[in-house]
Amino acid sequence: MSAVVSQAEAAARSDSTVLLTGESGTGKDVLARFIHSKSGRSSNPMIMVNCGALPETLFESEFFGHERGAFTGASSLRRGLLEAADGSSLFLDEIGDMPLLMQVKVLHFLEQGRFRRVGSTRDQNADVRIIAATNRDLSSEVERQRFRADLYYRLDVVSLHRAAAAPTNRGHSAIHRSFS
């Protein structure tokens, strides 16, 4: 069994936040699904979001949901990704692309386990395990003040690095076989 598979299985046994790093195309999303599938949260579906694909204006509503009437077009209550992932895992792909303002709000959730829907005055609780992935060097992003240091340290509790896939990378194929 490859080192990355045994590290992923160990990460799955904990409920800690996991940060997956590596170049694009190295299977970080597959590794996230593997960790979730081996975790105590696997009976619930993992919620996945690509932080780089969400327009900045929709981040807060997508993550935290919104109340009816919170803004023009909010005709009904909408649950956000955190609420949808309650009791499960939330995979934040391309976390390095998350806007700084949202980083503050995600940090608050990681610290408190609570969030507030847009337009609400009441906090909501959610039991969510965060698995995040990036192809960026977040420590360099912290130095350049493009990523919050406190969020980085909250995410980097368990860190797994995916090296560029080689044709005979056994760890990658072992993880893929677990979903066959």
Side-chain angles (χ1 to χ4, degrees):
M1 183 182 301
S2 76
V4 74
V5 172
S6 59
Q7 291 170 340
E9 287 179 335
R13 287 189 295 273
S14 81
D15 216 20
S16 298
T17 303
V18 178
L19 179 61
L20 307 174
T21 59
E23 295 177 28
S24 293
T26 55
K28 295 181 294 291
D29 59 331
V30 175
L31 189 57
R33 286 194 306 271
F34 178 81
I35 291 168
H36 176 74
S37 75
K38 300 292 183 185
S39 77
R41 297 172 178 270
S42 63
S43 61
N44 295 315
M46 180 170 72
I47 305 298
M48 302 173 79
V49 62
N50 183 324
C51 297
L54 278 178
E56 191 168 342
T57 55
L58 296 180
F59 253 94
E60 192 169 11
S61 181
E62 285 295 311
F63 271 78
F64 306 115
H66 61 257
E67 297 290 329
R68 180 175 183 250
F71 50 84
T72 302
S75 57
S76 63
L77 180 138
R78 183 177 182 283
R79 292 177 2 144
L81 295 169
L82 288 173
E83 216 169 331
D86 191 23
S88 189
S89 303
L90 177 61
F91 177 51
L92 303 177
D93 199 10
E94 302 304 340
I95 186 80
D97 293 338
M98 183 178 282
L100 284 169
L101 179 60
M102 281 307 300
Q103 291 178 30
V104 173
K105 295 177 183 214
V106 170
L107 173 66
H108 175 77
F109 171 75
L110 285 170
E111 291 174 340
Q112 305 294 321
R114 293 190 309 264
F115 65 94
R116 187 173 294 169
R117 290 187 196 122
V118 176
S120 179
T121 57
R122 292 189 4 230
D123 285 346
Q124 304 283 324
N125 294 319
D127 175 24
V128 177
R129 187 220 198 140
I130 301 291
I131 303 173
T134 186
N135 60 3
R136 295 187 183 192
D137 179 350
L138 289 185
S139 60
S140 293
E141 296 293 303
V142 167
E143 289 173 13
R144 292 182 182 109
Q145 297 183 345
R146 292 189 287 212
F147 200 85
R148 293 184 57 94
D150 44 6
L151 178 58
Y152 172 64
Y153 295 118
R154 285 280 181 178
L155 293 171
D156 197 29
V157 175
V158 175
S159 183
L160 297 175
H161 180 74
R162 291 291 293 150
T168 58
N169 189 329
R170 294 172 194 241
H172 198 88
S173 61
I175 292 169
H176 275 94
R177 278 195 306 273
S178 74
F179 293 104
S180 308

